[in-house]
Amino acid sequence: MKPLPTAQRSAEAAKAEEFDQLKRRIHNKLVDKLDLNRVGELQGDVLRREIRLVVEHLCDTEETFLNRSERERLIEEVLDETFGLGPLELLLKDHTISDILINGPKNIYVERRGKLEKTPVEFRDNGHLLQIIDRIVSKVGRRVDEVCPMVDARLPDGSRVNAIIPPLALDGAAVSIRRFGTHPLKLEDLLNFKAFTPEMVMLLEGAIKARLNMIISGGTGSGKTTLLNTLSSFIPNDQRLVTIEDAAELQLQQDHVVRLETRPPNIEGKGAISATDLVKNALRMRPERIIIGECRGPETLDMLQAMNTGHDGSLTTLHANTPRDALARLETMIMMSGFELPIKAMRQQISSAVNLIIQASRLQGGIRRVTHITEVVGMEQDTIVMQDIYRYNQQGIDETGRARGHFEATGVRPTCMSKLESAGVRLPASAFKQRVMLPD
């Protein structure tokens, strides 16, 4: 593809600048013209239709030479600026995008099918970007300013948002948006994507119904939250669930769900409510299962104690690269609680609380796989004993740069089978026979 001549590039840049100035002019006129009392009486689509008529009239009053498609684009962008998230609306409407990464007002990247690409979308300046960030975080009762320059928030569709602004971000505000979408991935979707095999699903479904405690571990972007949402679909609809998150993004389908969210400190540095506080409070709410979006600190000890004291079937996620690393991470987070427990007592607490560890990984090329389903068997002296039931064996990469390999059953029959059978779950012996199950 040949680069455009300098004169043509200059003409296109001038046209884009003229379009942007026109958009700002119409937006300012719209703000002056709006009757706020009238706007407060209307809602949703009705309000947007009414304002659209006003914008169309304002476009007619401008002496411009826009064709039909440019005029329609101008109207949509003014409406997005007024009601939505400005330039981000175009990206949020694209369901093929899984991540939106903003590095300052002029550099916006997206991830599609595991590949990062730069987009032509831009903000006017850093002030415009800060205005959109403030619009996002204020909707969930949070704030971002020089006193508190980092924030976690969420969009109405459940997508996770992290923002960090100057002076911490040197080249303008940086925003990361992890998309979850209004229609979360279901079990059939993950099977079609070969994230795991039907045999693995049978074991996980049985483990949920038998109320085994499970930890989903993995790196950033490995699909932990998606997997947690999927597994939660196996929980019976008549059970009371309490979820605890920093930014509420779980999308559970059950009727009886109580959603709790942590709260950052106010401008005076007071009033913070941590995950530890919420876990302690959740124990007084008669939950049948507690689901923590992610264990990352002192709340881990309270979570393990809850698993050990009648709240069987609880679920959580944490960051770790292997099942063995997940146990080491649990030990580290227990130490963060301030209690000086002996190593053996700490490991006994973990081994008696956790039944299964599900390891999710993001492999080369952006594909996601459940690479281990590992059972915590118990203790031998000071060591926690584990055994892999299923695992994914990567053998290389294909011609497109994506990881390739196969799932395999290790031939180990889980020791928790007696618990599954007591709960009425019957799994065929062939499900655990040592073999290669599903090649990529």
Side-chain angles (χ1 to χ4, degrees):
M1 189 177 186
K2 294 181 180 179
L4 294 174
T6 304
Q8 188 175 347
R9 286 202 304 271
S10 300
E12 289 188 0
K15 187 176 181 181
E17 178 63 27
E18 184 181 342
F19 183 89
D20 197 44
Q21 288 178 357
L22 174 61
K23 184 172 69 175
R24 267 185 275 179
R25 218 163 41 239
I26 291 178
H27 184 256
N28 290 336
K29 286 183 179 180
L30 175 64
V31 171
D32 293 337
K33 198 176 182 68
L34 283 179
D35 181 350
L36 295 180
N37 292 327
R38 171 73 173 148
V39 167
E41 294 171 3
L42 301 174
Q43 291 184 347
D45 294 338
V46 176
L47 177 60
R48 192 174 177 105
R49 281 198 301 271
E50 293 262 342
I51 301 300
R52 184 185 180 87
L53 294 174
V54 178
V55 176
E56 288 175 349
H57 174 70
L58 291 174
C59 286
D60 293 337
T61 63
E62 292 281 342
E63 295 181 2
T64 60
F65 299 97
L66 299 177
N67 59 37
R68 183 179 296 177
S69 65
E70 288 172 335
R71 186 173 185 273
E72 183 63 26
R73 178 185 153 212
L74 177 67
I75 292 170
E76 284 297 322
E77 289 189 12
V78 171
L79 289 173
D80 287 341
E81 198 66 48
T82 306
F83 296 107
L85 302 178
L88 285 181
E89 288 292 334
L90 182 66
L91 302 178
L92 293 171
K93 291 172 184 172
D94 188 343
H95 298 296
T96 65
I97 293 174
S98 57
D99 284 273
I100 302 172
L101 307 172
I102 303 169
N103 308 333
K106 303 297 182 183
N107 294 305
I108 301 179
Y109 294 82
V110 298
E111 181 186 275
R112 283 190 180 93
R113 302 174 188 89
K115 298 282 180 71
L116 280 177
E117 55 187 73
K118 190 173 181 180
T119 73
V121 175
E122 293 182 350
F123 292 86
R124 285 195 306 273
D125 50 35
N126 200 53
H128 185 205
L129 175 53
L130 289 173
Q131 181 185 353
I132 297 300
I133 293 172
D134 190 59
R135 195 176 295 179
I136 292 172
V137 302
S138 61
K139 286 183 179 178
V140 292
R142 304 205 171 188
R143 64 187 180 88
V144 60
D145 49 37
E146 287 190 1
V147 177
C148 183
M150 297 183 292
V151 67
D152 284 311
R154 64 181 184 280
L155 297 178
D157 66 1
S159 298
R160 180 195 309 159
V161 181
N162 174 268
I164 181 167
I165 67 170
L168 299 188
L170 302 182
D171 300 317
V175 184
S176 305
I177 301 177
R178 172 69 51 78
R179 301 289 309 283
F180 290 109
T182 52
H183 303 291
L185 291 175
K186 294 186 169 54
L187 177 64
E188 295 77 17
D189 300 317
L190 296 183
L191 283 170
N192 290 335
F193 295 148
K194 297 183 179 178
F196 40 44
T197 70
E199 294 90 344
M200 296 163 78
V201 172
M202 282 196 301
L203 175 60
L204 294 177
E205 180 179 3
I208 292 282
K209 291 179 177 176
R211 300 183 65 120
L212 300 188
N213 295 318
M214 290 190 276
I215 288 177
I216 300 170
S217 74
T220 301
S222 59
K224 298 186 298 297
T225 303
T226 299
L227 193 54
L228 181 55
N229 274 327
T230 304
L231 293 181
S232 69
S233 66
F234 297 132
I235 299 175
N237 204 37
D238 59 350
Q239 293 186 4
R240 176 176 170 84
L241 313 179
V242 176
T243 69
I244 297 168
E245 302 171 83
D246 282 332
E249 59 196 21
L250 292 176
Q251 298 170 312
L252 305 188
Q253 307 305 312
Q254 284 74 14
D255 295 331
H256 202 162
V257 179
V258 180
R259 303 169 73 210
L260 306 179
E261 187 176 65
T262 61
R263 186 176 72 185
N266 61 19
I267 198 167
E268 298 173 349
K270 299 177 181 178
I273 304 295
S274 67
T276 303
D277 299 326
L278 293 180
V279 172
K280 289 176 180 176
N281 190 78
L283 297 176
R284 305 184 185 104
M285 298 174 67
R286 198 211 164 273
E288 290 181 89
R289 299 180 195 239
I290 297 175
I291 299 177
I292 299 184
E294 182 184 341
C295 275
R296 62 179 74 183
E299 71 275 6
T300 304
L301 179 59
D302 295 287
M303 178 67 184
L304 291 174
Q305 288 178 331
M307 288 177 169
N308 270 326
T309 54
H311 300 90
D312 298 331
S314 295
L315 299 162
T316 188
T317 72
L318 56 81
H319 278 80
N321 292 326
T322 66
R324 181 60 67 179
D325 286 348
L327 295 184
R329 184 99 200 283
L330 285 174
E331 292 178 18
T332 302
M333 291 189 291
I334 290 173
M335 293 177 188
M336 292 168 67
S337 65
F339 294 102
E340 295 184 6
L341 294 175
I343 289 292
K344 186 170 184 179
M346 194 186 308
R347 291 178 179 172
Q348 283 175 335
Q349 181 90 347
I350 293 171
S351 66
S352 61
V354 179
N355 300 116
L356 288 178
I357 297 176
I358 303 154
Q359 182 70 37
S361 297
R362 177 190 168 99
L363 305 177
Q364 193 164 342
I367 65 172
R368 295 170 174 87
R369 296 285 184 266
V370 174
T371 54
H372 295 81
I373 296 181
T374 302
E375 183 183 23
V376 178
V377 180
M379 291 276 293
E380 277 188 10
Q381 295 182 347
D382 290 347
T383 304
I384 299 175
V385 179
M386 307 164 68
Q387 58 184 15
D388 291 340
I389 301 168
Y390 297 109
R391 58 179 171 235
Y392 178 82
N393 184 13
Q394 183 179 338
Q395 296 177 306
I397 58 173
D398 61 18
E399 60 278 359
T400 64
R402 290 161 62 92
R404 62 177 178 81
H406 60 256
F407 290 97
E408 57 187 28
T410 61
V412 173
R413 187 176 187 272
T415 58
C416 63
M417 282 300 293
S418 58
K419 292 184 180 178
L420 270 64
E421 290 167 358
S422 299
V425 178
R426 298 282 188 272
L427 299 180
S430 59
F432 306 108
K433 183 179 178 182
Q434 185 174 6
R435 69 196 190 284
V436 172
M437 296 189 296
L438 181 67
D440 282 341

